[in-house]
Amino acid sequence: MTAKPIRVALLGCGTVGTEIVRLLTDQADELTARVGAPLELAGIAVRRPNKHRQVPAELLTTDAAGLVARDDVDVVVEVIGGIEPTRGWLLAALNAGKSVVTANKALLAEHAGELFEAADRTGADLYFEAAVAGAIPLVRPLRESLAGDRITRVMGIVNGTTNFILSAMDETGAGYAETLDEASRLGYAEADPTADVDGFDAASKAAILASLAFHTRVTAGDVHREGISQVTSADIAAARVLGRTIKLLAICERVRGTDPDTGAATEAVAVRVHPAMIPRTHPLAGVNGAFNAVFVEAEAAGQLMFYGQGAGGAPTASAVLGDLVAVARNRVVGGRGPRESAYADLAVRPIAQASTRYHISLDVADRAGVLAAVAAEFAQHEVSIAAVRQEGRATDASLVIVTHSAPDAALRSTVDKLAGLQFVHEVVSVMRVEGEDS
Ligand code: NDP
Ligand code: HSE
């Protein structure tokens, strides 16, 4: 015998919401069997009801707050996006003891603490698998499967739009703007695609991943962020010559150190999002289009890799439906899913202290002593050079320098000094190199 229906308020019926409605309808019987009760749509909040002819008109409303407040709603599924007014609606739902499933990484990366506190007050569930890496199960493994381990690093590609753009630039030499338009048309990009290309979306996801991995509340503002808008076809060609490709990476690390005053061991968290050159032989180099892939390193488990479709309506709806089944089951049988775990409360380390390898491309005058003077600047800032490549062009030369691992602050000072040298015509690009020995 099945229990009484679980009534679902759906907020948003765009790229992801449309697929949620389709899956709820097409798989109604199977979902009922899995939950132990039917899942029924109580209503769907949208902005422009006339646009949504594919869903029953009587379900549509423009009053999201009113829908959330209805007595016959058990679970709120939010796929609108943005911080306000969504935050208020989800807080209202949780405060009323309604479970929430959301794909909204921007909101979670700013306000997870407040939302979890509301959930704890009423015993409601807050699930968000779709907020990171589309269809890929990543939140649940970090929240549950690896809860007995110590995670040391999470690194990967977590934005489908930028990976789609960089893959196309690398594979076909396609232009940046036309590829971004295509990503929007395919439903990968955010409503405002600068969230993707400027790295905000990946930074939100990195904050969520770091919070889960290191049991510390990390917000988007804690994440060092660089997007891909400065990456040029010339950078991609230069990477190719050196057997590398360029990816937008999110890197969350547990960093160990020593307190300079007491000598005691310290631990902190470092979280960054930036484009990086990686060897073409690296597993992440083969992750193309809107696919995402994330490596998780844990002390006992070792290295794990998660791979799959990171954006798009149906893949994201799959993750939302997985959460919906979980919270609905909890309501049928009683009990709750995991709560926020932020007990470790580690400090967040500034980017200036992060060490990576760098690829620096300069346009310089081609004459005696230039290379030696450039090398001297690196030496002065204690940045060790791993490789140098020079190509003459009439009276100028293109100079590419790859460093060993160096602190961000030292590299920035070196580059500032180089930019001021009379024989350095242009600092063409400065890019981190990941996935190689230091
Ligand atoms: P869309 O822009 O396609 O859809 C947004 C929906 O929200 C639309 O149906 C819109 O209504 C509705 N809406 C907007 N404002 C309001 C409002 N004030 N009141 C009621 N309804 C409103 O977005 P997506 O489906 O692409 O994304 C939704 C969420 O899922 C975002 O948080 C996004 O970050 C996240 N996400 C998206 C992924 C993707 O690949 N697209 C992947 C993973 C997560 P109307 O249609 O009438 O305009
Ligand atoms: N705009 C996001 C992306 C959607 O391109 O990855 C998935 O979160």
Side-chain angles (χ1 to χ4, degrees), residues 150-313:
R150 292 193 92 226
I151 295 171
T152 50
R153 196 164 197 251
V154 180
M155 162 180 163
I157 296 167
V158 295
N159 182 269
T161 301
T162 47
N163 202 51
F164 183 81
I165 295 170
L166 292 173
S167 305
M169 287 171 78
D170 186 58
E171 284 164 16
T172 65
Y176 176 92
E178 77 202 59
T179 321
L180 174 56
D181 286 349
E182 177 73 351
S184 292
R185 197 186 59 74
L186 292 168
Y188 304 149
E190 295 302 302
D192 174 1
T194 55
D196 296 291
V197 294
D198 288 343
F200 290 101
D201 179 80
S204 294
K205 291 165 177 169
I208 295 169
L209 291 175
S211 301
L212 295 172
F214 305 126
H215 302 275
T216 289
R217 201 174 278 170
V218 179
T219 65
D222 294 323
V223 180
H224 172 80
R225 175 191 54 79
E226 295 165 37
I228 65 160
S229 46
Q230 308 296 319
V231 177
T232 62
S233 310
D235 291 330
I236 288 179
R240 184 177 275 280
V241 168
L242 295 170
R244 300 189 179 109
T245 187
I246 297 176
K247 296 289 185 190
L248 184 73
L249 298 184
I251 301 174
C252 317
E253 292 169 308
R254 183 191 291 272
V255 261
R256 297 191 167 100
T258 312
D259 186 307
D261 298 326
T262 64
T266 60
E267 276 198 343
V269 170
V271 193
R272 53 197 161 98
V273 165
H274 52 71
M277 290 190 182
I278 57 172
R280 295 187 92 82
T281 50
H282 192 281
L284 290 176
V287 176
N288 290 317
F291 279 76
N292 287 183
V294 177
F295 283 100
V296 177
E297 290 169 24
E299 284 180 358
Q303 200 171 64
L304 306 161
M305 183 175 179
F306 298 84
Y307 170 80
Q309 297 195 66

Side-chain angles (χ1 to χ4, degrees), residues 10-18 44-52 60-65 78-82 84-86 89 102-107 129-135 161 186-192 201 205 310-317 320:
L10 178 63
L11 309 188
C13 196
T15 304
V16 181
T18 306
I44 305 175
V46 294
R47 207 170 19 183
R48 299 161 292 177
N50 293 339
K51 205 188 98 184
H52 299 275
L60 292 171
T61 175
T62 53
D63 180 11
E78 185 267 313
V79 283
I80 288 180
E84 299 292 354
T86 322
W89 297 331
T102 177
N104 190 335
K105 49 270 167 138
L107 177 64
E129 184 64 69
V132 185
T161 301
L186 292 168
Y188 304 149
E190 295 302 302
D192 174 1
D201 179 80
K205 291 165 177 169
T316 308
V320 171

Side-chain angles (χ1 to χ4, degrees), residues 68-71 73-74 89-99 118-119 122-124 331:
V68 167
R70 265 169 49 182
D71 286 340
V73 166
D74 303 301
W89 297 331
L90 297 194
L91 278 174
L94 293 166
N95 281 328
K98 298 171 187 186
S99 303
T122 58
R331 294 189 87 86

Side-chain angles (χ1 to χ4, degrees), residues 378-437:
F378 281 87
Q380 211 142 53
H381 292 90
E382 295 188 29
V383 178
S384 171
I385 294 176
V388 177
R389 189 170 154 268
Q390 179 173 328
E391 228 173 74
R393 284 198 305 254
T395 56
D396 282 1
S398 156
L399 192 58
V400 170
I401 294 155
V402 180
T403 73
H404 287 295
S405 199
D408 193 88
L411 195 280
R412 296 287 145 195
S413 306
T414 311
V415 171
D416 286 349
K417 281 302 279 293
L418 290 172
L421 296 178
Q422 176 257 327
F423 51 79
V424 174
H425 300 322
E426 191 187 356
V427 178
V428 180
S429 76
V430 178
M431 191 161 303
R432 292 180 179 80
V433 178
E434 293 286 343
E436 294 175 7
D437 293 339

